[in-house]
């Protein structure tokens, strides 16, 4: 099955099973290339202003970039470099790690869910569980030799940043700073190291089609040289252009539910490039599987009734993986 990996060969033509039907293609000429998603400088001494900017970004865009976030730039660079080194490993080395089983805690795979798809996506990815590190690191790839050390260090920093953002998001909703962190329980942390090889026909396929993230918060490290992330805003696709040393934050489905729909888990997608490969590293903070999730009680009033019923994350995640990625917003299945 590992011969399905697209990073093990150079492709002069797009294979037929990657070609989207005409109505589902990216229409790259229609993308807004010069729009800006919100940018928040976390070093701003005016904490009230920072919280207000984060709250506004969560309600209007569901995405924002953070500067001066505390994750060392050298570590971000090292993370991207070791990710590229991993995908340059010989095919036989990568074949040992290949799996198309979504339940596996560590797997190298391709597309999104090859067991269910009829059309594939131009992406290979390494999926890792990252918390607690001491439990999962021994299962991670042993090559490149620095992989485990660099990725572990990056995971620790990103987790701390995620919790700082939770506090600001809670405060922006008028909740106690610890609310979101406590409401989501002892959180898991996953990572997807996404590799999008050069593509011979970027206008016919996706790296990932439009989707929302099923988790609570996603922290994305983007390739500084090649853009590919696009966000849906008011019916138009907006290109997210990477800012130097920034990380991209997006609200996942669980924060939309906790906020009773005030904050948006928005549709986003990855497009591919004919001239250069692209790498991105997505870190996902995920609720504890058995914690009960629903709108915060303080946000439910007579004038603003609960939009979603209570459910466990295990129930939600199971529903998410049983569907195609670009079907209706999974949260719609949990409306009251």
């Amino acid at each position: 099955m590992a011969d399905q990996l697209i990073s093990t060969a150079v492709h002069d033509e797009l294979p037929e099973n990657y070609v989207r039907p005409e109505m589902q293609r990216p229409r790259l000429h229609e993308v807004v290339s010069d729009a800006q998603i919100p940018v928040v400088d976390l070093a701003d001494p005016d904490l009230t202003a920072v919280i207000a900017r984060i709250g506004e970004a969560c309600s209007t865009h569901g995405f924002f970039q953070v500067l001066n976030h505390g994750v060392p730039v050298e570590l971000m660079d090292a993370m991207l470099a070791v990710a590229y080194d991993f995908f340059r490993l010989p095919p036989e080395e990568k074949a040992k790690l290949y799996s198309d089983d979504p339940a596996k805690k560590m797997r190298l795979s391709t597309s999104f869910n090859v067991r269910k798809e009829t059309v594939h996506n131009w992406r290979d990815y390494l999926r890792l569980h990252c918390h607690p590190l001491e439990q999962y690191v021994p299962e991670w790839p042993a090559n490149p030799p620095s992989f485990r050390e660099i990725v572990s260090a990056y995971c620790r920093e990103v987790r701390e940043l995620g919790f700082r953002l939770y506090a600001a998001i809670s405060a922006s909703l008028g909740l106690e700073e610890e609310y979101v962190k406590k409401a989501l329980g002892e959180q898991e942390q996953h990572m997807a190291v996404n590799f999008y090889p050069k593509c011979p026909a970027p206008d016919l396929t996706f790296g990932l089609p439009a989707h929302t993230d099923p988790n609570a918060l996603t922290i994305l490290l983007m390739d500084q040289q090649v853009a590919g992330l696009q966000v849906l805003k008011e019916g138009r696709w907006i290109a997210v252009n990477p800012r130097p040393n920034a990380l991209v934050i997006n609200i996942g489905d669980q924060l939309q539910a906790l906020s009773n729909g005030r904050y948006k888990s928005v549709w986003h997608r990855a497009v591919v490039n004919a001239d250069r490969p692209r790498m991105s590293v997505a870190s996902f903070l995920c609720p504890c599987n058995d914690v009960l999730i629903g709108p915060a009680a303080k946000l439910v009033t007579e004038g603003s009734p609960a939009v979603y019923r209570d459910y466990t994350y295990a129930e939600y995640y199971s529903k998410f993986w049983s569907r195609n990625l670009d079907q209706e917003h999974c949260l719609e299945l949990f409306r009251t």
Side-chain angles (χ1 to χ4, degrees):
M1 293 296 283
D3 57 4
Q4 292 197 56
L5 292 171
I6 52 174
S7 57
T8 54
V10 175
H11 300 267
D12 296 321
E13 291 185 10
L14 189 68
E16 197 61 37
N17 57 344
Y18 287 85
V19 177
R20 292 263 159 190
E22 192 157 349
M23 292 301 292
Q24 296 176 17
R25 292 175 187 172
R27 298 182 184 178
L28 298 174
H29 61 283
E30 296 178 8
V31 173
V32 181
S33 59
D34 56 353
Q36 296 295 325
I37 68 165
V39 177
V40 181
D41 184 348
L42 297 184
D44 187 332
D46 187 347
L47 187 57
T48 304
V50 170
I51 290 169
R53 279 197 287 274
I54 287 175
E56 184 179 5
C58 292
S59 60
T60 60
H61 286 73
F63 266 78
F64 55 100
Q65 297 196 55
V66 287
L67 301 171
N68 296 311
H69 40 65
V71 181
V73 173
E74 314 78 63
L75 184 57
M76 293 163 62
D77 292 343
M79 179 69 238
L80 285 173
V82 82
Y84 270 111
D85 288 345
F86 172 81
F87 280 98
R88 289 189 193 108
L89 290 172
E92 58 274 15
E93 178 103 9
K94 290 190 286 190
K96 298 173 194 170
L97 304 172
Y98 183 85
S99 172
D100 61 8
D101 179 3
K104 287 198 76 171
K105 308 287 190 190
M106 192 283 294
R107 70 186 189 280
L108 174 63
S109 199
T110 191
S111 190
F112 174 69
N113 189 350
V114 288
R115 292 181 176 185
K116 285 183 61 65
E117 296 163 350
T118 51
V119 182
H120 296 322
N121 305 298
W122 200 254
R123 170 185 84 138
D124 286 348
Y125 65 98
L126 178 65
R127 184 85 183 196
L128 304 173
H129 279 229
C130 309
H131 183 79
L133 281 167
E134 59 273 14
Q135 180 179 338
Y136 293 116
V137 170
E139 301 173 15
W140 288 1
N143 280 319
S146 60
F147 184 90
R148 292 178 178 177
E149 181 184 353
I150 291 170
V151 178
S152 295
Y154 180 77
C155 287
R156 287 189 195 96
E157 294 285 348
V158 162
R159 190 174 182 85
E160 284 306 307
L161 171 60
F163 290 158
R164 283 173 60 205
L165 292 169
Y166 277 168
I169 289 166
S170 296
S172 71
L173 287 165
L175 304 170
E176 295 173 7
E177 279 195 1
E178 290 291 303
Y179 182 86
V180 169
K181 186 179 176 185
K182 284 181 178 173
L184 298 176
E186 179 57 34
Q187 285 170 76
E188 293 193 7
Q189 183 177 345
H190 304 166
M191 174 185 281
V193 184
N194 301 306
F195 182 60
Y196 306 97
K198 284 197 296 188
C199 178
D203 51 338
L204 300 182
T205 192
F206 286 105
L208 273 177
H211 63 285
T212 67
D213 288 355
N215 51 294
L217 192 74
T218 302
I219 299 173
L220 184 71
L221 171 60
M222 291 207 300
D223 195 316
Q224 294 289 309
Q225 309 304 318
V226 193
L229 173 65
Q230 298 178 351
V231 176
L232 191 63
K233 173 86 167 120
E234 295 168 353
R236 300 191 73 187
W237 287 102
I238 293 174
V240 178
N241 299 308
R243 278 189 164 235
N245 307 328
L247 290 166
V248 177
I249 312 299
N250 74 278
I251 298 299
D253 295 352
Q254 307 317 312
L255 285 182
Q256 178 167 326
L258 277 184
S259 72
N260 202 27
R262 284 197 205 177
Y263 290 172
K264 306 301 179 197
S265 174
V266 301
W267 295 93
H268 53 286
R269 66 186 191 181
V271 298
V272 288
N273 191 289
D275 303 316
R276 304 182 67 159
R278 185 172 80 90
M279 186 75 69
S280 73
V281 180
S283 296
F284 308 103
L285 287 181
C286 310
C288 175
N289 273 330
D290 56 6
V291 74
L292 205 58
I293 296 168
K298 192 174 176 181
L299 303 180
V300 177
T301 63
E302 196 173 321
S304 181
V307 179
Y308 307 105
R309 67 170 175 85
D310 291 349
Y311 55 84
T312 64
Y313 187 58
E315 180 189 1
Y316 193 91
Y317 204 60
S318 167
K319 272 273 197 305
F320 183 86
W321 273 95
S322 69
R323 307 154 65 252
N324 287 329
L325 193 59
D326 52 359
Q327 276 180 262
E328 68 172 348
H329 204 307
C330 192
L331 266 179
E332 292 298 312
L333 305 176
F334 295 84
R335 279 188 173 271
T336 49

